[in-house]
């Protein structure tokens, strides 16, 4: 009945390493709370001696994608992990799938057409407290 994305997605990745072509099939998963905390710690480590916020915007975005992708991929082989850090186009392509998984899982995407919209999975309403005279 429901066509909502689950927390995992299969990714088939093929990379030309110059002298050979490697293929791997991995599971990407939606980061849970602990994964998100670890990803944020990874960002600090990746920034090195420079405060993360002091990095140029493009560098912060790349590190965000790298840390998120590395946390989201289960059993990533060392050759791919290394290549993700070296090859930005590969990183962007894999991150795009990881990000799409998360957006689909939390139903944040708009429907396929203007008439096919999905309801948000949450609602937040605020109300002011009455004032005492």
């Amino acid at each position: 009945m429901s066509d909502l994305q689950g927390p995992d997605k299969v990714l088939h990745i093929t990379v030309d390493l110059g002298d050979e072509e490697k293929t791997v099939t991995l599971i990407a998963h939606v980061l849970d709370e602990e994964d998100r905390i670890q990803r944020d710690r990874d960002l600090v480590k990746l920034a090195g001696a420079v405060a993360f916020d002091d990095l140029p915007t493009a560098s912060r975005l790349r590190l965000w994608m790298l840390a998120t992708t590395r946390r989201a991929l289960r059993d990533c082989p060392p050759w791919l992990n290394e290549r993700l850090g070296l090859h930005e186009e590969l990183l962007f392509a894999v991150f795009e799938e990881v990000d799409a998984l998360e957006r689909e899982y939390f139903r944040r995407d708009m429907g396929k057409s203007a008439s096919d919209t999905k309801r948000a999975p949450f609602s937040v309403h605020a109300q002011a407290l009455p004032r005492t005279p």
Side-chain angles (χ1 to χ4, degrees), residues 22-26 73-84:
K22 290 202 174 209
T23 301
V24 65
T25 299
L26 299 172
L73 295 179
R74 299 188 192 273
D75 303 318
C76 183
W79 65 265
L80 179 59
N81 191 35
E82 178 184 358
R83 194 56 83 171
L84 288 169

Side-chain angles (χ1 to χ4, degrees), residues 17-123:
L17 299 175
D19 57 342
E20 68 178 309
E21 186 175 277
K22 290 202 174 209
T23 301
V24 65
T25 299
L26 299 172
I27 302 294
H29 71 279
V30 173
L31 301 183
D32 63 17
E33 180 180 12
E34 184 60 30
D35 288 326
R36 290 170 191 274
I37 291 168
Q38 289 302 323
R39 186 254 332 267
D40 294 346
R41 290 179 180 147
D42 294 344
L43 286 170
V44 172
K45 288 178 189 174
L46 288 168
V50 178
F52 180 77
D53 289 340
D54 290 342
L55 292 170
T57 302
S59 296
R60 289 193 316 252
L61 289 172
R62 190 179 76 74
L63 293 181
W64 174 267
M65 287 187 280
L66 185 59
T68 300
T69 300
R70 284 179 169 164
R71 283 282 159 197
L73 295 179
R74 299 188 192 273
D75 303 318
C76 183
W79 65 265
L80 179 59
N81 191 35
E82 178 184 358
R83 194 56 83 171
L84 288 169
L86 296 173
H87 195 292
E88 288 185 353
E89 289 178 1
L90 173 62
L91 172 61
F92 297 165
V94 177
F95 175 78
E96 186 176 347
E97 293 299 329
V98 168
D99 186 55
L101 167 64
E102 185 168 299
R103 283 184 285 113
E104 291 165 13
Y105 179 71
F106 290 113
R107 299 186 321 174
R108 287 187 273 164
D109 278 348
M110 294 297 291
K112 292 179 180 161
S113 69
S115 63
D116 184 24
T117 59
K118 295 181 180 177
R119 182 176 54 90
F122 57 86
S123 176

